[in-house]
């Protein structure tokens, strides 16, 4: 029986019954329409359940996930999801969501070979190399890892904003706002990285402002670290 993963079918049945009891007719209504306002582009990490994190039900969040929440201009999978979400579902918000403790980001940071995914993680290494001088100023590897997780989100937000899907939407006057967030595995909380973009002209200014704030925040943390270690 275990080879058939019966426990998963049992869990599914209990979940469906519970949801139907809390909201009678839920699945009948869901069948009629898919109208999410949000597209979540996140990491495939099993510890980051998109719907649950933001407390949304099925049908309320359109989701695309891959290793290290990367947006590549030649990735037709991601671009197709974005185009479907923006053009057909008319989502109003796109959230690029990274997470602290991301194994893919750590592998990219330390040049650890993991296999075929090395080619995918090269995009994260590009982000690392772009900010290498600043990142090398971190003596603590954990803090450097956190910083790169955040930087990777900013870079992927920039990539989202530069896709033809989003730029075409903005040019025709469609309301689409792109956000960059990071999720804490240690506390279950989302953090806004202060990059929110809603038109072509705002892309570079918002990116520059968010990057400056990110660096300033980490510099403050580094200044506090010696004082904490002496306590």
């Amino acid at each position: 029986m275990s080879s058939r993963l019966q426990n998963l079918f049992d869990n599914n049945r209990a979940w469906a019954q519970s949801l139907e009891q809390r909201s009678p007719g839920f699945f009948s209504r869901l069948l009629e329409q898919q109208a999410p306002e949000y597209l979540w582009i996140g990491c495939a990490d099993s510890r980051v359940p998109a719907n649950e994190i933001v407390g949304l039900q099925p049908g309320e969040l359109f989701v695309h996930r891959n290793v290290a929440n990367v947006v590549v201009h030649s990735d037709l999978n991601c671009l197709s999801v974005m185009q479907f979400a923006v053009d057909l579902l008319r989502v109003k918000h796109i959230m690029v969501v990274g997470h602290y403790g991301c194994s893919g980001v750590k592998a990219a940071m330390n040049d650890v070979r993991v296999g075929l995914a090395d080619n995918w993680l090269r995009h994260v290494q590009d982000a690392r190399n772009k900010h290498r001088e600043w990142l090398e100023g971190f003596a603590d590897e954990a803090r450097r890892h956190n910083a790169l997780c955040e930087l990777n989100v900013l870079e992927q937000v920039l990539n989202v904003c530069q896709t033809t899907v989003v730029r075409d939407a903005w040019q025709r006057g469609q309301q689409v706002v792109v956000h960059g967030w990071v999720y804490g595995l240690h506390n279950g909380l989302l953090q806004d990285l202060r990059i929110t973009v809603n038109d072509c002209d705002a892309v570079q200014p918002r990116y520059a402002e968010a990057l400056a704030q990110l660096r300033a925040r980490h510099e403050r943390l580094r200044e506090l670290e010696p004082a904490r270690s002496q306590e």
Side-chain angles (χ1 to χ4, degrees):
M1 184 65 71
S2 60
S3 63
R4 294 169 51 198
L5 300 178
Q6 186 60 43
N7 61 313
L8 298 186
F9 286 97
D10 293 340
N11 291 345
N12 167 250
R13 188 175 298 107
W15 169 79
Q17 291 174 349
S18 175
L19 190 54
E20 188 67 22
Q21 288 174 357
R22 294 198 308 269
S23 181
F26 175 84
F27 290 104
S28 297
R29 294 191 300 272
L30 190 64
L31 186 64
E32 297 297 323
Q33 185 178 10
Q34 177 181 213
E37 293 189 12
Y38 316 100
L39 167 61
W40 173 291
I41 300 176
C43 184
D45 193 301
S46 61
R47 300 167 294 177
V48 189
N51 284 70
E52 293 182 32
I53 287 172
V54 289
L56 293 179
Q57 296 291 342
E60 296 180 330
L61 184 70
F62 207 58
V63 178
H64 174 78
R65 299 171 68 175
N66 60 51
V67 176
N69 47 275
V70 172
V71 178
V72 182
H73 299 307
S74 59
D75 179 7
L76 296 184
N77 185 358
C78 182
L79 294 177
S80 296
V81 170
M82 288 178 58
Q83 190 270 328
F84 193 93
V86 172
D87 294 357
L88 280 74
L89 299 179
R90 311 291 287 187
V91 299
K92 296 179 181 178
H93 299 272
I94 300 174
M95 296 92 73
V96 178
V97 187
H99 68 93
Y100 297 120
C102 180
S103 299
V105 171
K106 188 171 185 178
M109 181 179 76
N110 293 328
D111 292 311
V112 175
R113 295 292 302 273
V114 296
L116 181 63
D118 296 338
N119 301 280
W120 181 255
L121 293 174
R122 179 68 217 182
H123 301 289
V124 182
Q125 289 179 324
D126 289 342
R128 177 203 63 184
N129 293 343
K130 182 176 180 179
H131 305 280
R132 180 187 290 274
E133 183 176 352
W134 182 71
L135 286 169
E136 288 180 346
F138 287 84
D140 183 77
E141 181 175 338
R143 291 199 180 279
R144 184 164 64 251
H145 185 196
N146 287 344
L148 183 54
C149 289
E150 295 173 355
L151 287 170
N152 184 51
V153 170
L154 297 191
E155 295 301 324
Q156 305 316 319
V157 167
L158 192 60
N159 288 346
V160 169
C161 293
Q162 292 172 339
T163 62
T164 56
V165 174
V166 171
R167 295 181 71 86
D168 287 350
W170 284 338
Q171 289 174 3
R172 62 176 175 260
Q174 184 175 340
Q175 180 185 353
V176 180
V177 186
V178 185
H179 311 265
W181 300 346
V182 65
Y183 173 70
L185 294 175
H186 62 291
N187 61 10
L189 298 179
L190 287 166
Q191 180 175 331
D192 186 351
L193 293 179
R194 306 296 182 184
I195 183 167
T196 300
V197 190
N198 59 5
D199 64 66
C200 292
D201 293 336
V203 175
Q204 291 299 332
R206 296 293 87 78
Y207 170 80
E209 291 170 5
L211 179 59
Q213 290 182 24
L214 184 156
R215 290 190 172 196
R217 175 163 47 81
H218 280 282
E219 292 304 322
R220 289 194 297 271
L221 290 173
R222 277 200 283 200
E223 290 173 0
L224 290 172
E225 194 62 31
R228 288 174 178 169
S229 63
Q230 294 173 9
E231 292 178 355

